[in-house]
Amino acid sequence: MIHTFAVLLIFQTLGESLAFAFSLPVPGPVIGMLLLFCYLLAKPQVADKLAPTTLEFLKHLSLLFIPAGVGIMVHAERVAAEWLPIVVALVVSAVVSLVVTATVLRWLQK
């Protein structure tokens, strides 16, 4: 488990370093995930070693939503005051995500 956690942290750190060094507009963890993805494509046998631990991490993924829930509770008054822009942003982002996903899927099917 420590080995897998170390691998994930190394790739996140690499991503953060690249984002900082080159002033990239992409978050470091996203770059780290892409680097990890490329590494796993290059060495598929590593994925077999990481799989058991990463599956355990995924089982507890819901814990990452606790800080967001606490933030909403702490700022409940502000959320109540600005509910309309929040709802509009959520609906627009959901529609854009669906349209982009459908477009990409159609493009991939051709």
Side-chain angles (χ1 to χ4, degrees):
M1 185 176 221
I2 292 174
H3 175 264
T4 302
F5 196 59
V7 168
L8 294 174
L9 285 177
I10 287 169
F11 278 100
Q12 182 175 354
T13 304
L14 284 172
E16 288 283 357
S17 301
L18 288 173
F20 180 76
F22 296 109
S23 298
L24 298 174
V26 181
V30 173
I31 296 171
M33 267 196 301
L34 289 173
L35 292 172
L36 177 61
F37 178 69
C38 293
Y39 179 69
L40 292 176
L41 285 177
K43 295 193 172 202
Q45 68 274 16
V46 174
D48 295 333
K49 290 182 182 178
L50 300 180
T53 305
T54 53
L55 290 174
E56 286 299 316
F57 285 161
L58 287 174
K59 287 180 186 176
H60 304 291
L61 188 64
S62 61
L63 292 175
L64 297 176
F65 292 102
I66 292 173
V70 171
I72 290 173
M73 290 172 46
V74 168
H75 297 288
E77 291 178 18
R78 186 170 182 185
V79 171
E82 299 179 24
W83 69 271
L84 184 59
I86 293 171
V87 169
V88 169
L90 288 171
V91 170
V92 169
S93 66
V95 169
V96 168
S97 296
L98 287 170
V99 169
V100 169
T101 302
T103 305
V104 168
L105 283 174
R106 279 190 168 181
W107 179 75
L108 288 173
Q109 288 177 344
K110 288 183 181 180

XYZ file of all heavy atoms in Angstrom:
840
model
N 0.821 -1.186 0.000
C 0.000 0.000 0.000
C 0.873 1.260 0.000
O 0.559 2.229 -0.673
C -0.930 -0.021 1.211
C -1.913 1.104 1.233
S -3.027 0.917 2.615
C -4.551 1.371 1.860
N 1.964 1.240 0.742
C 2.854 2.392 0.807
C 3.486 2.639 -0.555
O 3.633 3.787 -0.983
C 3.914 2.199 1.908
C 3.232 2.233 3.279
C 4.991 3.260 1.816
C 4.136 1.913 4.426
N 3.845 1.564 -1.259
C 4.441 1.697 -2.587
C 3.471 2.420 -3.544
O 3.868 3.345 -4.262
C 4.806 0.321 -3.139
C 5.306 0.363 -4.541
N 4.478 0.121 -5.617
C 6.527 0.648 -5.049
C 5.181 0.251 -6.728
N 6.434 0.567 -6.408
N 2.220 2.001 -3.553
C 1.235 2.625 -4.440
C 1.024 4.082 -4.074
O 0.963 4.955 -4.947
C -0.096 1.861 -4.368
O 0.135 0.502 -4.728
C -1.129 2.470 -5.291
N 0.903 4.355 -2.796
C 0.714 5.725 -2.341
C 1.906 6.586 -2.743
O 1.749 7.731 -3.177
C 0.494 5.747 -0.824
C -0.088 7.032 -0.323
C -1.310 7.486 -0.785
C 0.591 7.793 0.605
C -1.852 8.670 -0.327
C 0.065 8.982 1.069
C -1.165 9.425 0.606
N 3.099 6.024 -2.623
C 4.311 6.753 -3.010
C 4.319 7.043 -4.512
O 4.668 8.146 -4.941
C 5.553 5.960 -2.615
N 3.917 6.069 -5.318
C 3.864 6.277 -6.771
C 2.881 7.394 -7.112
O 3.188 8.290 -7.906
C 3.479 4.959 -7.497
C 3.140 5.211 -8.957
C 4.593 3.941 -7.369
N 1.706 7.368 -6.496
C 0.715 8.413 -6.755
C 1.233 9.789 -6.346
O 1.062 10.778 -7.070
C -0.590 8.095 -6.025
C -1.339 6.847 -6.501
C -2.528 6.569 -5.601
C -1.777 6.984 -7.941
N 1.870 9.858 -5.199
C 2.409 11.145 -4.736
C 3.567 11.624 -5.613
O 3.704 12.831 -5.855
C 2.858 11.031 -3.284
C 1.737 11.008 -2.256
C 2.302 10.816 -0.857
C 0.914 12.274 -2.314
N 4.387 10.715 -6.089
C 5.498 11.101 -6.975
C 4.965 11.717 -8.258
O 5.433 12.769 -8.696
C 6.405 9.886 -7.264
C 7.232 9.552 -6.025
C 7.296 10.147 -8.467
C 7.959 8.229 -6.108
N 3.949 11.092 -8.852
C 3.401 11.640 -10.092
C 2.670 12.957 -9.848
O 2.724 13.862 -10.679
C 2.511 10.615 -10.794
C 3.303 9.630 -11.598
C 3.582 8.370 -11.105
C 3.797 9.974 -12.840
C 4.321 7.465 -11.833
C 4.545 9.079 -13.595
C 4.815 7.818 -13.080
N 2.002 13.081 -8.711
C 1.368 14.366 -8.403
C 2.424 15.452 -8.210
O 2.273 16.575 -8.690
C 0.495 14.267 -7.162
C -0.188 15.591 -6.870
C -1.167 15.519 -5.719
O -1.431 14.450 -5.183
N -1.705 16.654 -5.346
N 3.502 15.108 -7.538
C 4.583 16.075 -7.334
C 5.234 16.464 -8.656
O 5.543 17.642 -8.875
C 5.637 15.498 -6.367
O 4.993 15.138 -5.143
C 6.735 16.497 -6.090
N 5.442 15.497 -9.531
C 5.982 15.803 -10.862
C 5.054 16.758 -11.616
O 5.506 17.718 -12.245
C 6.181 14.527 -11.670
C 7.380 13.672 -11.325
C 7.314 12.344 -12.078
C 8.665 14.402 -11.662
N 3.766 16.483 -11.546
C 2.805 17.348 -12.213
C 2.807 18.750 -11.641
O 2.797 19.745 -12.381
N 2.841 18.851 -10.312
C 2.894 20.169 -9.663
C 4.164 20.908 -10.055
O 4.137 22.113 -10.322
C 2.843 20.019 -8.134
C 1.503 19.615 -7.586
C 0.500 20.747 -7.547
O 0.839 21.901 -7.894
O -0.645 20.465 -7.173
N 5.267 20.196 -10.087
C 6.550 20.817 -10.448
C 6.533 21.342 -11.873
O 6.998 22.456 -12.143
C 7.691 19.809 -10.290
O 7.760 19.351 -8.963
N 6.009 20.540 -12.798
C 5.934 20.985 -14.186
C 4.994 22.178 -14.352
O 5.311 23.129 -15.077
C 5.469 19.835 -15.082
C 6.483 18.723 -15.317
C 5.829 17.561 -16.070
C 7.668 19.251 -16.095
N 3.863 22.139 -13.670
C 2.915 23.254 -13.763
C 3.531 24.529 -13.208
O 3.356 25.615 -13.772
C 1.629 22.909 -13.008
N 4.265 24.405 -12.121
C 4.904 25.574 -11.516
C 6.077 26.065 -12.358
O 6.214 27.266 -12.611
C 5.381 25.248 -10.100
C 6.039 26.396 -9.408
C 5.285 27.434 -8.901
C 7.420 26.441 -9.278
C 5.887 28.511 -8.271
C 8.044 27.511 -8.650
C 7.268 28.546 -8.140
N 6.911 25.151 -12.817
C 8.123 25.529 -13.557
C 7.801 26.203 -14.891
O 8.491 27.139 -15.297
C 8.991 24.294 -13.800
N 6.753 25.743 -15.560
C 6.417 26.285 -16.868
C 5.211 27.214 -16.833
O 4.695 27.605 -17.878
C 6.188 25.146 -17.866
C 7.417 24.319 -18.107
C 7.508 23.021 -17.619
C 8.495 24.836 -18.803
C 8.639 22.255 -17.834
C 9.635 24.083 -19.029
C 9.710 22.787 -18.541
N 4.730 27.531 -15.640
C 3.559 28.407 -15.463
C 2.387 27.954 -16.330
O 1.764 28.740 -17.039
C 3.920 29.851 -15.783
O 4.919 30.313 -14.909
N 2.104 26.671 -16.269
C 1.032 26.101 -17.086
C -0.332 26.421 -16.478
O -0.475 26.478 -15.251
C 1.210 24.583 -17.189
C 2.497 24.115 -17.864
C 2.629 22.606 -17.762
C 2.516 24.552 -19.312
N -1.346 26.615 -17.326
C -2.682 26.910 -16.804
C -3.439 25.668 -16.339
O -4.578 25.766 -15.909
C -3.377 27.555 -18.010
C -2.720 26.929 -19.189
C -1.281 26.718 -18.779
N -2.811 24.506 -16.425
C -3.430 23.243 -16.029
C -2.968 22.903 -14.615
O -1.783 23.036 -14.297
C -3.020 22.121 -17.008
C -3.655 20.803 -16.634
C -3.367 22.504 -18.427
N -3.882 22.463 -13.748
C -3.478 22.094 -12.386
C -2.448 20.966 -12.372
O -2.495 20.045 -13.206
C -4.779 21.630 -11.729
C -5.863 22.208 -12.561
C -5.316 22.329 -13.946
N -1.531 21.033 -11.429
C -0.483 20.034 -11.297
C -0.986 18.605 -11.161
O -0.446 17.700 -11.811
N -2.019 18.354 -10.335
C -2.506 16.980 -10.221
C -3.036 16.410 -11.536
O -2.910 15.220 -11.796
C -3.624 17.084 -9.179
C -3.230 18.249 -8.347
C -2.588 19.223 -9.296
N -3.594 17.269 -12.386
C -4.076 16.794 -13.692
C -2.887 16.382 -14.561
O -2.915 15.335 -15.220
C -4.922 17.886 -14.393
C -5.279 17.462 -15.809
C -6.173 18.181 -13.584
N -1.836 17.185 -14.541
C -0.627 16.836 -15.285
C -0.041 15.539 -14.732
O 0.383 14.662 -15.483
C 0.395 17.989 -15.227
C -0.169 19.219 -15.927
C 1.728 17.574 -15.852
C 0.655 20.471 -15.735
N -0.027 15.413 -13.416
C 0.466 14.193 -12.794
C -0.338 12.973 -13.200
O 0.231 11.896 -13.458
N -1.661 13.112 -13.291
C -2.492 11.999 -13.731
C -2.173 11.614 -15.164
O -2.135 10.424 -15.502
C -3.980 12.362 -13.625
C -4.611 11.954 -12.333
S -6.404 11.980 -12.411
C -6.741 13.665 -12.818
N -1.967 12.605 -16.028
C -1.609 12.311 -17.415
C -0.262 11.612 -17.503
O -0.083 10.677 -18.297
C -1.600 13.597 -18.241
C -2.967 14.207 -18.511
C -2.821 15.570 -19.183
C -3.803 13.281 -19.361
N 0.689 12.067 -16.689
C 1.997 11.403 -16.653
C 1.865 9.956 -16.178
O 2.479 9.044 -16.743
C 2.960 12.173 -15.759
C 3.413 13.543 -16.248
C 4.214 14.254 -15.164
C 4.230 13.409 -17.517
N 1.070 9.745 -15.140
C 0.841 8.390 -14.633
C 0.162 7.530 -15.691
O 0.531 6.366 -15.892
C 0.002 8.425 -13.356
C -0.369 7.074 -12.744
C 0.874 6.293 -12.355
C -1.279 7.270 -11.549
N -0.800 8.098 -16.396
C -1.493 7.375 -17.462
C -0.504 6.936 -18.547
O -0.510 5.774 -18.978
C -2.598 8.249 -18.053
C -3.336 7.601 -19.190
C -4.176 6.520 -18.974
C -3.193 8.080 -20.476
C -4.852 5.924 -20.017
C -3.867 7.492 -21.535
C -4.699 6.412 -21.305
N 0.357 7.857 -18.964
C 1.365 7.524 -19.975
C 2.322 6.454 -19.466
O 2.701 5.535 -20.203
C 2.133 8.782 -20.384
S 1.125 9.974 -21.273
N 2.705 6.556 -18.205
C 3.599 5.566 -17.602
C 2.940 4.185 -17.585
O 3.578 3.179 -17.901
C 3.964 6.010 -16.188
C 4.868 5.055 -15.454
C 6.194 4.884 -15.835
C 4.409 4.337 -14.356
C 7.033 4.010 -15.156
C 5.232 3.476 -13.677
C 6.540 3.310 -14.075
O 7.363 2.443 -13.394
N 1.652 4.146 -17.241
C 0.949 2.870 -17.196
C 0.736 2.289 -18.596
O 0.700 1.070 -18.763
C -0.388 3.020 -16.469
C -0.278 3.305 -14.971
C -1.655 3.542 -14.368
C 0.447 2.198 -14.236
N 0.594 3.163 -19.593
C 0.514 2.667 -20.972
C 1.843 2.070 -21.406
O 1.877 1.065 -22.120
C 0.119 3.799 -21.925
C -1.338 4.239 -21.899
C -1.547 5.416 -22.835
C -2.267 3.094 -22.261
N 2.935 2.709 -20.969
C 4.266 2.224 -21.347
C 4.637 0.943 -20.603
O 5.323 0.078 -21.150
C 5.308 3.309 -21.079
N 4.197 0.822 -19.360
C 4.522 -0.348 -18.540
C 3.237 -0.925 -17.932
O 2.918 -0.668 -16.765
C 5.493 0.037 -17.433
C 6.837 0.490 -17.956
C 7.827 0.555 -16.833
C 9.197 0.827 -17.414
N 10.247 0.424 -16.522
N 2.501 -1.716 -18.687
C 1.225 -2.253 -18.191
C 1.354 -3.142 -16.954
O 0.422 -3.245 -16.162
C 0.682 -3.062 -19.370
C 1.479 -2.669 -20.551
C 2.771 -2.114 -20.052
N 2.501 -3.769 -16.775
C 2.673 -4.658 -15.618
C 2.631 -3.879 -14.304
O 2.289 -4.442 -13.256
C 3.963 -5.483 -15.729
C 5.247 -4.695 -15.615
C 5.725 -4.103 -16.922
O 4.994 -4.011 -17.897
N 6.979 -3.677 -16.948
N 2.946 -2.602 -14.342
C 2.891 -1.779 -13.126
C 1.443 -1.610 -12.672
O 1.160 -1.561 -11.478
C 3.571 -0.408 -13.362
C 3.405 0.501 -12.170
C 5.039 -0.602 -13.692
N 0.528 -1.537 -13.629
C -0.892 -1.381 -13.296
C -1.383 -2.547 -12.442
O -2.195 -2.359 -11.530
C -1.720 -1.252 -14.558
N -0.892 -3.736 -12.724
C -1.291 -4.899 -11.933
C -0.841 -4.779 -10.480
O -1.534 -5.221 -9.567
C -0.726 -6.176 -12.546
C -1.309 -6.465 -13.923
O -2.446 -6.025 -14.184
O -0.614 -7.117 -14.725
N 0.326 -4.165 -10.259
C 0.818 -3.978 -8.894
C 0.028 -2.900 -8.154
O -0.178 -2.983 -6.950
C 2.294 -3.588 -8.910
C 3.230 -4.678 -9.328
C 4.659 -4.177 -9.264
C 5.638 -5.243 -9.718
N 7.023 -4.750 -9.691
N -0.400 -1.864 -8.897
C -1.097 -0.745 -8.263
C -2.588 -1.005 -8.060
O -3.219 -0.378 -7.214
C -0.924 0.522 -9.109
C 0.496 1.023 -9.343
C 0.467 2.277 -10.199
C 1.216 1.290 -8.043
N -3.149 -1.928 -8.825
C -4.595 -2.146 -8.839
C -5.217 -2.443 -7.472
O -6.213 -1.809 -7.115
C -4.950 -3.233 -9.837
N -4.695 -3.377 -6.688
C -5.378 -3.683 -5.425
C -5.496 -2.475 -4.485
O -6.557 -2.238 -3.906
C -4.501 -4.775 -4.791
C -3.742 -5.366 -5.913
C -3.542 -4.267 -6.906
N -4.433 -1.717 -4.364
C -4.463 -0.572 -3.461
C -5.336 0.543 -4.013
O -6.092 1.176 -3.269
C -3.038 -0.040 -3.213
O -2.247 -1.128 -2.728
C -3.030 1.069 -2.200
N -5.247 0.793 -5.314
C -6.063 1.864 -5.883
C -7.547 1.531 -5.797
O -8.375 2.427 -5.608
C -5.674 2.152 -7.340
O -5.707 0.943 -8.089
C -4.291 2.761 -7.430
N -7.888 0.257 -5.891
C -9.288 -0.125 -5.711
C -9.749 0.139 -4.284
O -10.892 0.550 -4.058
C -9.487 -1.590 -6.095
C -9.359 -1.898 -7.587
C -9.427 -3.401 -7.833
C -10.410 -1.165 -8.388
N -8.876 -0.070 -3.323
C -9.217 0.265 -1.931
C -9.397 1.766 -1.762
O -10.287 2.220 -1.046
C -8.138 -0.248 -0.972
C -8.162 -1.733 -0.753
C -9.470 -2.216 -0.152
O -9.989 -1.575 0.792
O -9.986 -3.244 -0.629
N -8.533 2.564 -2.421
C -8.680 4.023 -2.375
C -10.029 4.448 -2.947
O -10.695 5.335 -2.407
C -7.565 4.716 -3.164
C -6.227 4.721 -2.491
C -5.082 4.941 -3.233
C -6.088 4.511 -1.128
C -3.837 4.953 -2.632
C -4.856 4.514 -0.514
C -3.723 4.741 -1.264
N -10.427 3.823 -4.050
C -11.690 4.178 -4.688
C -12.893 3.857 -3.805
O -13.909 4.542 -3.869
C -11.825 3.467 -6.028
C -10.942 4.011 -7.149
C -11.064 3.136 -8.384
C -11.297 5.443 -7.472
N -12.774 2.834 -2.987
C -13.869 2.492 -2.067
C -14.134 3.617 -1.072
O -15.242 3.775 -0.579
C -13.548 1.204 -1.311
C -13.636 -0.044 -2.154
C -13.301 -1.266 -1.315
C -13.247 -2.517 -2.150
N -12.831 -3.686 -1.368
N -13.113 4.401 -0.763
C -13.231 5.471 0.225
C -13.214 6.858 -0.413
O -12.979 7.855 0.262
C -12.110 5.341 1.252
C -12.079 3.993 1.913
N -13.055 3.569 2.779
C -11.220 2.957 1.787
C -12.787 2.342 3.181
N -11.676 1.941 2.595
N -13.477 6.913 -1.699
C -13.449 8.181 -2.425
C -14.483 9.174 -1.894
O -14.266 10.381 -1.923
C -13.689 7.925 -3.914
C -13.516 9.090 -4.864
C -12.062 9.569 -4.846
C -13.905 8.696 -6.267
N -15.581 8.671 -1.383
C -16.628 9.561 -0.875
C -16.140 10.431 0.280
O -16.704 11.506 0.530
C -17.849 8.753 -0.443
O -17.488 7.855 0.599
N -15.088 10.011 0.975
C -14.548 10.833 2.067
C -14.032 12.180 1.574
O -13.997 13.147 2.324
C -13.421 10.085 2.786
C -13.821 8.853 3.580
C -12.584 8.147 4.127
C -14.753 9.228 4.713
N -13.658 12.243 0.299
C -13.147 13.494 -0.244
C -14.244 14.547 -0.389
O -13.951 15.728 -0.558
C -12.476 13.250 -1.598
C -11.247 12.347 -1.547
C -10.720 12.104 -2.949
C -10.162 12.945 -0.678
N -15.503 14.139 -0.315
C -16.596 15.098 -0.416
C -16.934 15.738 0.927
O -17.703 16.690 0.974
C -17.837 14.431 -1.015
C -17.659 14.058 -2.451
C -17.393 12.757 -2.823
C -17.723 15.033 -3.432
C -17.218 12.416 -4.156
C -17.538 14.710 -4.766
C -17.286 13.392 -5.126
N -16.380 15.238 2.000
C -16.663 15.806 3.320
C -16.224 17.263 3.418
O -17.002 18.106 3.878
C -16.049 14.932 4.433
C -16.781 13.593 4.496
C -16.098 15.639 5.779
C -16.187 12.585 5.425
N -15.018 17.639 2.982
C -14.650 19.063 3.058
C -15.587 19.968 2.266
O -15.914 21.072 2.719
C -13.232 19.101 2.475
C -12.704 17.726 2.668
C -13.890 16.824 2.536
N -16.047 19.526 1.120
C -16.984 20.336 0.334
C -18.309 20.499 1.076
O -18.881 21.595 1.113
C -17.209 19.700 -1.031
N -18.778 19.433 1.674
C -20.022 19.503 2.452
C -19.896 20.432 3.654
O -20.805 21.217 3.951
N -18.761 20.358 4.318
C -18.520 21.248 5.456
C -18.457 22.697 4.986
O -19.007 23.600 5.623
C -17.225 20.850 6.202
C -16.847 21.897 7.240
C -17.401 19.489 6.864
N -17.812 22.932 3.842
C -17.741 24.287 3.299
C -19.109 24.850 2.988
O -19.388 26.026 3.253
N -19.989 24.019 2.443
C -21.350 24.474 2.162
C -22.086 24.784 3.457
O -22.811 25.778 3.549
C -22.108 23.416 1.327
C -21.522 23.379 -0.087
C -23.595 23.707 1.282
C -22.048 22.274 -0.948
N -21.883 23.962 4.485
C -22.546 24.210 5.765
C -22.029 25.495 6.407
O -22.806 26.280 6.955
C -22.341 23.016 6.704
C -23.105 21.796 6.273
S -22.724 20.294 7.195
C -22.726 20.824 8.870
N -20.731 25.721 6.338
C -20.138 26.914 6.949
C -20.614 28.174 6.232
O -20.868 29.194 6.861
C -18.592 26.811 6.928
C -17.942 28.128 7.282
C -18.135 25.713 7.875
N -20.753 28.086 4.917
C -21.148 29.254 4.123
C -22.599 29.154 3.664
O -22.956 29.652 2.584
C -20.216 29.392 2.917
C -18.789 29.634 3.306
N -18.364 30.823 3.836
C -17.710 28.828 3.251
C -17.071 30.749 4.084
N -16.646 29.537 3.750
N -23.455 28.556 4.476
C -24.854 28.346 4.107
C -25.566 29.658 3.800
O -26.373 29.729 2.871
C -25.578 27.589 5.208
N -25.283 30.698 4.562
C -25.938 31.992 4.320
C -25.561 32.542 2.946
O -26.413 33.053 2.215
C -25.563 32.986 5.405
C -26.140 32.667 6.765
C -25.692 33.657 7.824
O -25.231 34.762 7.477
O -25.816 33.314 9.003
N -24.297 32.445 2.608
C -23.849 32.949 1.306
C -24.441 32.120 0.167
O -24.848 32.653 -0.854
C -22.335 32.936 1.233
C -21.817 33.562 -0.024
C -20.335 33.752 0.021
N -19.907 34.411 -1.206
C -18.670 34.630 -1.507
N -17.709 34.274 -0.689
N -18.355 35.226 -2.634
N -24.493 30.808 0.343
C -25.092 29.941 -0.665
C -26.571 30.290 -0.837
O -27.074 30.363 -1.961
C -24.905 28.453 -0.298
C -25.713 27.555 -1.218
C -23.435 28.076 -0.345
N -27.257 30.527 0.272
C -28.672 30.903 0.197
C -28.859 32.247 -0.497
O -29.815 32.436 -1.257
C -29.272 30.949 1.597
N -27.938 33.174 -0.283
C -28.041 34.493 -0.903
C -27.706 34.455 -2.391
O -28.232 35.255 -3.166
C -27.115 35.478 -0.185
N -26.848 33.530 -2.797
C -26.401 33.472 -4.190
C -26.808 32.169 -4.871
O -26.093 31.652 -5.727
C -24.877 33.644 -4.234
C -24.422 34.969 -3.665
C -22.916 35.132 -3.689
O -22.257 34.481 -4.516
O -22.419 35.930 -2.880
N -27.995 31.675 -4.530
C -28.435 30.395 -5.055
C -28.660 30.421 -6.561
O -28.377 29.446 -7.241
C -29.685 29.918 -4.333
C -30.898 30.748 -4.631
C -31.313 31.859 -3.956
C -31.822 30.552 -5.698
N -32.445 32.370 -4.530
C -32.784 31.583 -5.609
C -31.948 29.620 -6.716
C -33.838 31.701 -6.505
C -33.000 29.740 -7.604
C -33.939 30.763 -7.491
N -29.156 31.522 -7.093
C -29.451 31.562 -8.526
C -28.195 31.422 -9.391
O -28.163 30.566 -10.295
C -30.219 32.839 -8.886
C -30.668 32.934 -10.345
C -31.575 31.768 -10.716
C -31.356 34.262 -10.595
N -27.128 32.201 -9.147
C -25.922 31.995 -9.965
C -25.328 30.593 -9.804
O -24.787 30.027 -10.764
C -24.941 33.048 -9.450
C -25.741 34.026 -8.691
C -26.985 33.335 -8.265
N -25.452 30.033 -8.617
C -24.927 28.686 -8.378
C -25.704 27.666 -9.207
O -25.119 26.805 -9.876
C -24.959 28.337 -6.876
C -23.979 29.221 -6.114
C -24.668 26.862 -6.646
C -24.079 29.122 -4.610
N -27.025 27.766 -9.186
C -27.865 26.835 -9.948
C -27.612 26.995 -11.443
O -27.487 26.008 -12.171
C -29.356 27.031 -9.600
C -30.253 26.266 -10.565
C -29.627 26.598 -8.171
N -27.517 28.252 -11.915
C -27.261 28.488 -13.336
C -25.912 27.891 -13.733
O -25.794 27.223 -14.771
C -27.320 29.998 -13.659
C -26.791 30.276 -15.056
C -28.733 30.515 -13.505
N -24.892 28.104 -12.908
C -23.566 27.552 -13.212
C -23.596 26.023 -13.254
O -22.981 25.406 -14.136
C -22.552 28.037 -12.181
N -24.309 25.410 -12.326
C -24.403 23.953 -12.307
C -25.135 23.418 -13.540
O -24.684 22.446 -14.163
C -25.109 23.481 -11.035
C -24.315 23.603 -9.740
C -25.200 23.312 -8.543
C -23.137 22.657 -9.770
N -26.242 24.047 -13.906
C -27.018 23.579 -15.059
C -26.219 23.780 -16.349
O -26.130 22.866 -17.183
C -28.380 24.303 -15.124
C -29.092 24.021 -16.440
C -29.253 23.887 -13.948
N -25.625 24.966 -16.514
C -24.853 25.240 -17.728
C -23.666 24.285 -17.838
O -23.401 23.725 -18.906
C -24.394 26.713 -17.768
C -23.376 26.943 -18.857
C -25.590 27.629 -17.963
N -22.959 24.069 -16.743
C -21.804 23.166 -16.806
C -22.230 21.732 -17.101
O -21.540 21.014 -17.828
C -20.991 23.241 -15.517
O -21.741 22.748 -14.415
N -23.365 21.306 -16.569
C -23.856 19.961 -16.856
C -24.222 19.822 -18.331
O -23.887 18.821 -18.979
C -25.062 19.633 -15.971
N -24.900 20.833 -18.880
C -25.285 20.789 -20.292
C -24.048 20.797 -21.183
O -23.950 20.021 -22.144
C -26.237 21.963 -20.635
C -26.437 22.093 -22.134
C -27.568 21.790 -19.927
N -23.092 21.664 -20.873
C -21.856 21.717 -21.664
C -21.131 20.374 -21.597
O -20.639 19.870 -22.614
C -20.948 22.871 -21.184
C -19.562 22.771 -21.788
C -21.573 24.211 -21.527
N -21.068 19.774 -20.416
C -20.412 18.464 -20.276
C -21.102 17.404 -21.124
O -20.445 16.597 -21.787
C -20.418 18.019 -18.815
O -19.665 18.889 -18.035
N -22.427 17.400 -21.106
C -23.167 16.424 -21.907
C -22.944 16.642 -23.400
O -22.735 15.682 -24.158
C -24.663 16.507 -21.588
C -25.082 15.936 -20.244
C -26.537 16.295 -19.941
C -24.906 14.438 -20.233
N -22.970 17.890 -23.836
C -22.780 18.181 -25.259
C -21.373 17.795 -25.705
O -21.187 17.161 -26.755
C -23.071 19.675 -25.553
C -22.625 20.069 -26.945
C -24.550 19.965 -25.363
N -20.380 18.150 -24.907
C -18.995 17.811 -25.264
C -18.803 16.301 -25.279
O -18.185 15.748 -26.196
C -18.003 18.493 -24.295
C -16.601 17.941 -24.470
C -18.012 19.995 -24.509
N -19.346 15.614 -24.293
C -19.226 14.159 -24.248
C -19.897 13.514 -25.458
O -19.323 12.618 -26.087
C -19.837 13.608 -22.946
O -19.184 14.212 -21.841
C -19.707 12.100 -22.868
N -21.095 13.963 -25.800
C -21.800 13.416 -26.961
C -21.026 13.692 -28.243
O -20.920 12.816 -29.116
C -23.205 14.006 -27.048
N -20.480 14.888 -28.371
C -19.711 15.232 -29.570
C -18.468 14.361 -29.690
O -18.157 13.857 -30.776
C -19.324 16.732 -29.524
O -20.510 17.510 -29.364
C -18.597 17.143 -30.776
N -17.763 14.181 -28.599
C -16.550 13.366 -28.618
C -16.902 11.904 -28.947
O -16.208 11.259 -29.740
C -15.794 13.472 -27.285
C -14.699 12.421 -27.186
C -15.217 14.867 -27.118
N -17.965 11.401 -28.348
C -18.365 10.022 -28.636
C -18.753 9.835 -30.103
O -18.378 8.848 -30.731
C -19.533 9.609 -27.736
C -19.153 9.263 -26.308
C -20.393 9.002 -25.464
C -18.249 8.057 -26.268
N -19.473 10.798 -30.664
C -19.821 10.705 -32.086
C -18.564 10.740 -32.941
O -18.447 10.010 -33.926
C -20.738 11.845 -32.486
C -22.159 11.598 -32.134
C -23.028 12.634 -32.770
N -24.409 12.228 -32.647
C -25.411 12.917 -33.124
N -25.187 14.049 -33.746
N -26.626 12.484 -32.978
N -17.628 11.613 -32.575
C -16.387 11.717 -33.336
C -15.593 10.413 -33.250
O -15.007 9.969 -34.235
C -15.569 12.895 -32.801
C -14.270 13.066 -33.501
C -14.047 13.572 -34.747
C -12.987 12.728 -32.979
N -12.705 13.565 -35.037
C -12.026 13.046 -33.951
C -12.540 12.194 -31.773
C -10.672 12.845 -33.779
C -11.203 11.991 -31.596
C -10.283 12.311 -32.589
N -15.562 9.790 -32.065
C -14.815 8.547 -31.890
C -15.468 7.382 -32.624
O -14.795 6.430 -33.020
C -14.676 8.212 -30.401
C -13.721 9.101 -29.607
C -13.807 8.767 -28.125
C -12.296 8.927 -30.105
N -16.777 7.418 -32.786
C -17.479 6.319 -33.449
C -17.305 6.345 -34.959
O -17.574 5.360 -35.627
C -18.962 6.352 -33.107
C -19.230 5.931 -31.679
C -20.701 6.031 -31.312
O -21.480 6.677 -31.987
N -21.072 5.381 -30.219
N -16.868 7.463 -35.495
C -16.694 7.546 -36.961
C -15.423 6.883 -37.402
O -14.496 6.651 -36.815
C -16.668 9.012 -37.390
C -18.030 9.631 -37.287
C -17.996 11.046 -37.790
C -19.383 11.660 -37.647
N -19.428 13.019 -38.121
